[in-house]
Amino acid sequence: MSQIYASFKSIGAYVPEKVLSNADLEKMVDTTDEWIVKRTGISERRIAAEDEYTSDMAAKACELAIERSGVAKEDIDLVVCATVTPDYFNMPSTACLISDKLGIRDVQAFDISAACSGFVYLLSVAKAFVESGMKKNVLVVGAEKFSSIVDYTDRGTCILFGDGAGAAMICATTNKEEAFVDLHASADGSYADFLVTPAPGCVNPVSQRVIDEGLQYVQMKGNETFKLAVKTLTKDVKEILEKNEINSDDIPHFIPHQANYRIIKAVGDSLKMKEEQVVLTVGKYGNTSAASIPMAINDIWESGRLKEGELMLLDTFGGGLTWASALLPFAGKSK
Ligand code: ACO
């Protein structure tokens, strides 16, 4: 029997209509457009409507990914969602709600929580299911309504995050040329307090104290996270390239997590990447956590830059702390 591999067949994304610009934030907190652009590279981000939820954005991204893959909805046998801003914190999972919105019934569906690393973590889940022969067509989606956990009086965090969703179809193939080359995912819980939403959870169940202290909002040790992100991302990417004997010159698309332009630049420079190799969307979308990488892949696919068979290098870092990198060809059709 021939070997089965996982392949990245298609991409789709959705961004909400409302734009929150740096000029808007200047009216909300003590900050300036100049500070935000210089320190982060972000000019604007998208914010979902009040009644537009993570599952709604995810379903829209999924519809595009499904259509572009040519896979019939009836042939999808697993739906997995990465999010830290689920529609409901405990149950039902956002993946269940997405499946229902897509009309996909009677298939396994579940969420994972790995913050900004969520999408690459999902690729490892999809790869394992496909290559073990358990599933054939896995719909993976990273989606966040991050604005729902941001304190818009905290200038240290509110300038960074945005909302959106990105989805991909991961399909079984016997063609080795289409297969994921390598994937590495890891975590270190000793840094859990670098990025945390203290409530709701069993440590801080919903109470008046939670509301009074604003524990439902994301808290971040920005500067410490920044330094660790640069170090970890650089090491992780160097390792995956060395292990697979690939030179950074041979990567047409380096697609890092879009958290901060300075982090991306530092990692890109240490790998001697040229500007045209590095995908940048942070300026217009900010940090959309688990949605950031698939949104960036969608951006280059829609603009015609990502072609069939081209190699992508993904690299991400987020709360947990978690990090992950992946080397894989785009196995779908060029636009
Ligand atoms: N406007 C103006 N001044 C500000 C702002 C702002 N929006 N935010 C902070 N400052 C001030 C600080 O108060 C501080 O002032 P002080 O020197 O008087 O105390 C000064 O600017 C410097 O603050 P730092 O926090 O040291 O600034 P830094 O250069 O580190 O930039 C930032 C902050 C943008 C948050 C950066 O640290 C960062 O991007 N961190 C990493 C974020 C990240 O990658 N997260 C991981 C993924 S997220 C996830 O997993 C969900």
Side-chain angles (χ1 to χ4, degrees):
M1 220 174 78
S2 39
Q3 169 98 34
I4 298 168
Y5 304 102
S7 67
F8 194 106
K9 269 285 164 203
S10 67
I11 188 74
Y14 170 80
V15 287
E17 249 173 64
K18 186 181 164 190
V19 173
L20 181 69
S21 68
N22 291 351
D24 296 327
L25 284 164
E26 282 179 351
K27 295 180 201 128
M28 295 158 70
V29 287
D30 181 15
T31 193
T32 60
D33 172 54
E34 192 196 351
W35 192 96
I36 302 172
V37 172
K38 196 166 153 216
R39 297 291 183 114
T40 70
I42 303 169
S43 296
E44 56 186 46
R45 62 293 288 144
R46 300 298 181 98
I47 303 295
E50 209 174 315
D51 59 353
E52 185 176 41
Y53 308 118
T54 298
S55 65
D56 297 317
M57 294 185 281
K60 287 181 177 149
C62 288
E63 287 284 8
L64 285 174
I66 296 168
E67 188 192 314
R68 292 168 181 172
S69 71
V71 173
K73 276 188 186 166
E74 309 77 73
D75 294 331
I76 294 171
D77 44 14
L78 175 63
V79 178
V80 273
C81 175
T83 186
V84 288
T85 49
D87 288 21
Y88 300 97
F89 262 92
N90 303 309
M91 57 187 157
S93 73
T94 305
C96 284
L97 302 173
I98 296 165
S99 303
D100 181 52
K101 284 177 182 166
L102 294 170
I104 297 172
R105 306 214 194 281
D106 198 17
V107 301
Q108 191 175 353
F110 62 91
D111 289 357
I112 65 149
S113 167
C116 303
S117 308
F119 184 76
V120 186
Y121 263 57
L122 281 187
L123 293 181
S124 72
V125 170
K127 181 178 189 298
F129 270 101
V130 168
E131 295 188 353
S132 66
M134 283 176 73
K135 307 286 179 193
K136 285 193 174 63
N137 298 304
V138 182
L139 182 58
V140 299
V141 51
E144 303 283 7
K145 185 170 181 173
F146 221 92
S147 59
S148 67
I149 57 164
V150 165
D151 175 359
Y152 283 97
T153 65
D154 174 13
R155 68 177 183 174
T157 53
C158 74
I159 57 152
L160 298 172
F161 297 101
D163 301 336
M169 281 295 313
I170 309 302
C171 303
T173 180
T174 50
N175 180 357
K176 194 161 192 311
E177 301 276 294
E178 293 184 341
F180 286 24
V181 177
D182 202 1
L183 196 150
H184 173 252
S186 198
D188 186 345
S190 67
Y191 294 107
D193 64 336
F194 274 33
L195 260 156
V196 58
T197 39
C202 66
V203 174
N204 292 300
V206 175
S207 66
Q208 191 55 48
R209 182 182 66 85
V210 162
I211 309 294
D212 292 345
E213 294 177 14
L215 301 180
Q216 71 275 31
Y217 297 124
V218 64
Q219 298 175 358
M220 182 175 68
K221 292 185 176 171
N223 200 263
E224 290 91 328
T225 308
F226 183 97
K227 287 180 197 148
L228 201 59
V230 173
K231 205 168 111 194
T232 310
L233 288 170
T234 307
K235 183 170 171 280
D236 214 31
V237 168
K238 280 188 174 155
E239 275 174 12
I240 202 168
L241 289 175
E242 272 168 30
K243 189 175 152 213
N244 293 282
E245 296 177 350
I246 293 176
N247 199 302
S248 62
D249 292 348
D250 301 327
I251 302 291
H253 307 289
F254 174 45
I255 308 162
H257 170 48
Q258 306 287 315
N260 183 318
Y261 172 69
R262 289 190 295 140
I263 298 178
I264 298 172
K265 172 107 174 65
V267 178
D269 285 354
S270 77
L271 293 163
K272 302 197 170 46
M273 291 273 185
K274 292 184 207 76
E275 225 171 81
E276 59 271 24
Q277 291 173 276
V278 183
V279 176
L280 272 179
T281 55
V282 67
K284 57 181 177 179
Y285 299 141
N287 180 349
T288 57
S289 185
S292 133
I293 286 189
M295 283 168 69
I297 298 174
N298 184 68
D299 229 64
I300 55 169
W301 184 84
E302 286 198 345
S303 66
R305 275 172 68 195
L306 177 62
K307 303 269 188 326
E308 185 169 352
E310 283 183 341
L311 201 55
M312 303 185 283
L313 171 60
L314 316 181
D315 192 20
T316 187
F317 182 88
L321 290 176
T322 54
W323 60 96
S325 55
L327 257 177
L328 66 168
F330 178 65
K333 298 261 174 282
S334 315
K335 194 175 178 200

